[in-house]
Amino acid sequence: MTTIERVGARAYRVPTPAPEADGTLAWDATTIVVVHAEAGGIRGLGWTYADAACVPLVEGVLADAVRGRPVLDVPACWAAMQHAIRNLGRPGLVSCAMSAVDIALWDAAARSLGLPVSRLLGRVHDEVAVYGSGGFTTLSDDELAAQLDHWVRQQRIPRVKIKIGESPDRDLARVALARNAIGDDTALYVDANGAYSPGRARRVAERLTEYGVTWFEEPVSSDDLPGLAATRFPGGPDIAAGEYGYDLPCFARLLPVVDCLQVDVTRCGGFTEWRRATALAAAAGRDVSAHCAPNLSAHAAAATQNFRHIEWFADHDRIERLFFAGCLDPDGGTVAPAMAAPGHGLTLRPEAAAEYAL
């Protein structure tokens, strides 16, 4: 039986084209931590969007936990990592590091069998829907309109999302601009990144119906369960949260107060925990939406029956197309993970990534 021989990691910091912001945070670069797992000449690839502090976690306690284990026993490796990090704390960076290792292990396992990850996970969809995501609060009106036009008219993506959460007046003006730019036939989503108080979130949600907004993401902090519940009302936009779900109990707490559960495969614990979180959502009658990391999310999405769409996030799309060969094309509003390529079909371009290495 082929066993895991080595797990290594490296962090890269990629500047944004211009300063970016949402309702609660501003940034000028994105850090990606890339992990490789080696087993019998096979090299599995995973990554997470998190701080470089994940690197010693991966190469230390997590690598020690999985080294020497059969490459096909990915859930057992995940359980070993979960046991090993007990005193480190699961939520946050530890979960991000675990996610990247778990993804690399699933990739290695699938490659060892000559199968795509989506088939090894249990594929149920030939293709899955995506939505264009960006619309940062730092964009001018003209820049926002141009980004929306690119998604809707050039890439033919029929769902788009913009950031709000500054002030109701400016937020609603930007929503009106977006609706005018995309027309009536494109789905319009908004994301406040937890910026509002419950009362303000409810008032904004009621106004959003005037513009046909059908998705209101993190109207309040995802820790504010009563606030999320208070923002929901019949005929209002679907309330979504879950991108900061780092473990199963977090998703269990969110399910009663959201209409659609978001799961980030690079934060939640990788493909292994994704499967458990989506099963939990199915038991509660909820759909799942993939938060970011679009090219990895596609394989998990194709293997999830109660799946809605992938967030095709502008920053991550740009980084993944730069760093990895084999990226998917969201033109037309859907993607289909390749059935011919083993693993998740992606490989690192070392020469492209090198200049961003930390």
Side-chain angles (χ1 to χ4, degrees):
M1 173 68 73
T2 302
T3 59
I4 300 157
E5 298 155 2
R6 180 182 178 276
V7 178
R10 187 148 196 192
Y12 304 85
R13 187 177 185 271
V14 186
T16 56
E20 296 174 352
D22 55 37
T24 55
L25 187 68
W27 62 95
D28 60 9
T30 300
T31 300
I32 179 173
V33 178
V34 177
V35 170
H36 281 102
E38 299 176 11
I42 294 164
R43 206 166 192 236
L45 169 68
W47 66 86
T48 185
Y49 293 96
D51 191 83
C54 288
V55 172
L57 284 169
V58 169
E59 296 191 329
V61 65
L62 299 180
D64 290 344
V66 303
R67 191 181 300 111
R69 293 180 177 273
V71 70
L72 295 181
D73 292 354
V74 183
C77 290
W78 189 95
M81 290 192 289
Q82 170 80 341
H83 178 78
I85 58 91
R86 188 198 70 178
N87 290 343
L88 301 181
R90 169 70 189 280
L93 290 177
V94 172
S95 188
C96 292
M98 279 183 63
S99 299
V101 175
D102 182 81
I103 290 164
L105 294 177
W106 277 101
D107 185 40
R111 289 176 190 270
S112 75
L113 296 171
L115 295 174
V117 166
S118 61
R119 173 145 287 173
L120 188 58
L121 290 172
R123 189 166 176 141
V124 294
H125 304 294
D126 291 331
E127 62 182 21
V128 288
V130 308
Y131 68 87
S133 173
F136 305 116
T137 57
T138 44
L139 296 178
S140 68
D141 288 356
D142 288 344
E143 290 169 334
L144 176 59
Q147 186 179 63
L148 293 167
D149 184 77
H150 175 75
W151 289 330
V152 174
R153 294 181 178 85
Q154 296 180 45
Q155 293 189 294
R156 297 172 291 109
I157 299 175
R159 309 159 204 90
V160 296
K161 187 177 79 180
I162 68 169
K163 301 290 191 180
I164 61 172
E166 294 182 293
S167 71
D169 287 345
R170 181 165 193 255
D171 291 342
L172 291 169
R174 295 180 79 248
V175 170
L177 183 155
R179 175 52 74 196
N180 183 64
I182 65 177
D184 294 333
D185 295 332
T186 299
L188 179 57
Y189 304 162
V190 299
D191 181 0
N193 289 99
Y196 290 138
S197 65
R200 178 168 285 186
R202 175 60 182 250
R203 291 190 293 274
V204 169
E206 291 171 349
R207 293 291 309 278
L208 291 174
T209 61
E210 300 171 21
Y211 303 98
V213 173
T214 54
W215 172 279
F216 193 178
E217 185 175 327
E218 285 197 316
V220 299
S221 168
S222 55
D223 294 326
D224 183 359
L225 302 183
L228 289 169
T231 312
R232 300 169 75 198
F233 59 91
D238 278 0
I239 302 303
E243 66 185 73
Y244 298 110
Y246 294 109
D247 56 23
L248 209 59
C250 177
F251 295 118
R253 291 191 295 270
L254 281 169
L255 279 167
V257 297
V258 298
D259 297 292
C260 185
L261 183 70
Q262 293 177 281
V263 185
D264 187 323
V265 72
T266 70
R267 290 177 178 168
C268 73
F271 293 135
T272 299
E273 190 79 326
W274 167 284
R275 297 200 300 175
R276 302 205 302 164
T278 57
L280 199 64
R286 299 289 190 272
D287 285 345
V288 170
S289 177
H291 175 263
C292 293
N295 286 282
L296 292 177
S297 297
H299 284 266
T304 302
Q305 185 170 359
N306 54 321
F307 189 76
R308 188 176 297 191
H309 42 42
I310 299 171
E311 178 175 15
W312 213 266
F313 184 53
D315 282 354
H316 293 181
D317 176 44
R318 177 173 53 85
I319 292 170
E320 291 173 10
R321 283 187 289 107
L322 173 65
F323 274 43
F324 306 113
C327 287
L328 298 170
D329 184 354
D331 282 11
T334 62
V335 292
M339 295 299 291
H344 49 50
L346 298 155
T347 55
L348 180 69
R349 293 188 175 114
E351 69 288 348
E355 69 176 284
Y356 304 103
L358 295 176

